[in-house]
Amino acid sequence: MFLSVFDVFKIGVGPSSSHTMGPMTAARRFLDDLAAGNWPRAARARPAAITASLHGSLAFTGIGHGSDRAVILGLSGEVPQTVDPDAMDGIIARVRETGTIAPPGRPAYRFRPAVDLVLDKRTPLPGHPNGMQFCAYDTDGQLLLRRNYFSIGGGFVVTTDELEALRTASPGDADVPWPFADAREMLDMAKRSGLSIAAMKRANEEAGLSRTNLDRRLDAIWSAMSSCIDRGLSQPGELPGGLRVKRRAAAIHDQLAQKWSRNEVDPLMANDWLSVFAMAVNEENAAGGRVVTAPTNGAAGVIPAVLSYAVKFNAGTGDQAIRDFLLTAAAIGGIIKHRASISGAEVGCQGEVGSASAMAAAGLCAILGGSPEQVENAAEIALEHHLGMTCDPVGGLVQIPCIERNAFGAVKAVTAASLALKGDGTHAVPLDACVETMRQTGHDMNEKYKETSLGGLAVNVVAC
């Protein structure tokens, strides 16, 4: 299996890649499967009504993550990449008022969200904590089609069969020049070829894309990240959801900008810029704005923050360096996703912010001149110091502790890159061992600490 850089970085909307983008994608996919008609049915059977149920973590934190809204949008024909955030409320209101979904170019179906959309906290679907089931019925109420989908992190959606195929696949199966399945193979291939990790990743991408198209799409990812930061740095007020969390990025940015314009020397300034970039993204994500999964929405602020930090404080960070950063980060993210998980519902926040921090550390180390061995070391340092991190969002919202946690993930990434660059790449704990430790830790972690809001901060902080 080959994970493209554009599988790792996807433009979508907040607040969650697995709980918002995933359900929207799954609902739209069911709509497409229904329209395709590639399923057994009587000759005159016509779908007239649709129901949906969310299971596991999706059921426990679905309301706070907007999973119910995402299903309605997906069944209305929307997809995360192109849905207009400003139009979403109107679409949802019409469906709730009429009890009907009417996707463009498709038949209308009965769908009453209050009745036909169930958050089932009792019945997990085997395979993954983020399970969804969609059903279609004819006018007599006879079941015509039932499909199960799983949102496995980062906006990825798979069926039961596809999930099993992912677990047995290897990047070595892909028809690309450098099909590394883990960090050890990645370093071996880099040593034999003399190529950087970014160059190998680029060669893999160019097996299916022209160089011009690849660069254009990488630039679009960076543009979306930058735009998200800019918007987050300009928006005051409170975040939606009922926790009364105030946006802080805009006010902090104004303070920093004033000091910057006066050339004031502040030993914390670089760190403050790094933090405010991350917070700006995750405040936008919490507000349902347009973000880039990196590798998830809950961790979307780490990579843009570190890259923006590099642009601001390193004069050598031009267009090519930005592309190399993203390619290197995607190579590390692909290994982590294949060998463990990037899903908070599966392994806790170590799989989200921890993975993002490792990816950012690798990218920064690479563009600052790090060798492949140093890049791998940077990723390992960052991931190692997120091991065991739980996912316990207060009120099921991607706000507390998620926004500040992204700032700390960015700080750890820069520190990890700096430490790795001071060494020669040799270190005691290989990245592969750290990734496997994360997988085992996630497996052993109590379910209440894996995006269910049943433990940790979610129960010890009063949601008011």
Side-chain angles (χ1 to χ4, degrees):
M1 183 193 71
F2 167 63
L3 277 181
S4 168
V5 61
F6 306 111
D7 291 324
V8 177
F9 299 120
K10 295 190 288 294
I11 299 173
V13 292
S16 172
S17 50
S18 59
H19 287 57
T20 314
M21 290 174 60
M24 192 186 305
T25 300
R28 172 58 186 266
R29 183 169 174 181
F30 181 74
L31 198 67
D32 292 342
D33 290 347
L34 195 60
N38 298 324
W39 39 275
R41 57 175 167 168
R44 296 185 179 181
R46 294 290 183 270
I50 292 176
T51 65
S53 58
L54 306 180
H55 302 259
S57 175
L58 291 175
F60 282 105
T61 61
I63 299 299
H65 287 76
S67 304
D68 54 337
R69 293 166 51 88
V71 168
I72 295 171
L73 291 166
L75 291 177
S76 298
E78 301 291 344
V79 292
Q81 294 82 355
T82 58
V83 63
D84 179 359
D86 294 327
M88 294 191 299
D89 287 345
I91 295 171
I92 293 165
R94 284 193 296 273
V95 172
R96 285 178 171 158
E97 181 180 348
T98 64
T100 302
I101 52 171
R106 310 287 179 88
Y109 304 99
R110 188 189 71 194
F111 183 76
R112 304 155 298 174
V115 177
D116 297 323
L117 177 54
V118 176
L119 276 66
D120 186 345
K121 298 179 180 179
R122 296 184 177 182
T123 317
L125 297 181
H128 193 276
N130 290 335
M132 293 164 278
Q133 186 172 97
F134 293 84
C135 298
Y137 301 86
D138 65 13
T139 54
D140 295 326
Q142 295 296 312
L143 177 65
L144 298 179
L145 178 65
R146 178 190 288 122
R147 289 281 167 86
N148 289 350
Y149 303 96
F150 299 93
S151 181
I152 60 174
F156 286 88
V157 171
V158 295
T159 64
T160 302
D161 290 343
E162 291 166 347
L163 182 63
E164 182 59 30
L166 282 175
R167 287 172 172 166
T168 58
S170 167
D173 300 334
D175 187 17
V176 294
W178 308 106
F180 46 84
D182 53 36
R184 180 187 59 79
E185 288 186 354
M186 179 183 72
L187 292 179
D188 287 347
M189 290 178 185
K191 187 173 183 178
R192 292 200 310 270
S193 67
L195 296 173
S196 68
I197 293 169
M200 291 193 298
K201 185 65 175 171
R202 174 174 285 277
N204 288 346
E205 297 290 339
E206 289 179 358
L209 284 174
S210 69
R211 174 156 296 199
T212 299
N213 195 25
L214 174 60
D215 287 346
R216 178 185 62 80
R217 293 182 65 183
L218 287 170
D219 293 346
I221 292 295
W222 171 234
S223 177
M225 289 179 171
S226 297
S227 296
C228 184
I229 289 177
D230 290 342
R231 180 169 173 78
L233 292 177
S234 66
Q235 299 297 307
E238 287 185 357
L239 295 171
L243 292 181
R244 308 283 320 260
V245 173
K246 292 183 179 180
R247 286 180 179 255
R248 290 180 287 166
I252 295 173
H253 173 259
D254 289 346
Q255 296 174 37
L256 293 174
Q258 291 175 18
K259 289 184 178 181
W260 188 267
S261 66
R262 295 193 297 262
N263 292 319
E264 289 187 17
V265 177
D266 183 341
L268 297 178
M269 182 169 283
N271 192 73
D272 288 342
W273 278 106
L274 181 63
S275 297
V276 79
F277 289 147
M279 292 174 66
V281 172
N282 283 85
E283 287 179 356
E284 272 300 287
N285 179 62
R290 189 162 301 285
V291 299
V292 178
T293 63
T296 67
N297 282 27
V302 178
I303 288 170
V306 174
L307 195 40
S308 293
Y309 166 87
V311 170
K312 192 170 188 69
F313 290 96
N314 178 36
T317 308
D319 289 344
Q320 194 54 51
I322 291 169
R323 295 166 189 153
D324 286 345
F325 183 110
L326 293 174
L327 289 166
T328 304
I332 299 301
I335 289 171
I336 295 173
K337 180 169 178 59
H338 176 66
R339 308 300 297 189
S341 175
I342 59 171
S343 168
E346 196 168 17
V347 296
C349 197
Q350 59 176 352
E352 296 206 32
V353 171
S355 296
S357 187
M359 294 164 64
L364 182 61
C365 184
I367 66 172
L368 293 180
S371 66
E373 291 78 14
Q374 289 172 315
V375 169
E376 184 262 359
N377 188 16
E380 187 280 325
I381 294 171
L383 183 60
E384 179 181 337
H385 297 290
H386 284 88
L387 290 176
M389 183 174 283
T390 60
C391 183
D392 52 353
V394 176
L397 299 168
V398 192
Q399 298 179 17
I400 303 171
C402 316
I403 294 170
E404 289 181 350
R405 189 168 284 176
N406 274 257
F408 278 83
V411 169
K412 287 183 182 181
V414 172
T415 302
S418 179
L419 287 173
L421 286 167
K422 301 298 189 295
D424 61 4
T426 58
H427 53 108
V429 182
L431 176 59
D432 289 333
C434 192
V435 172
E436 173 60 16
T437 301
M438 185 184 78
R439 187 193 68 78
Q440 293 175 4
T441 303
H443 180 270
D444 293 339
M445 189 181 292
N446 191 298
E447 294 298 316
K448 67 184 181 181
Y449 298 114
K450 294 193 284 188
E451 209 165 0
T452 59
S453 287
L454 296 176
L457 288 174
V459 299
N460 287 303
V461 176
V462 177
C464 57

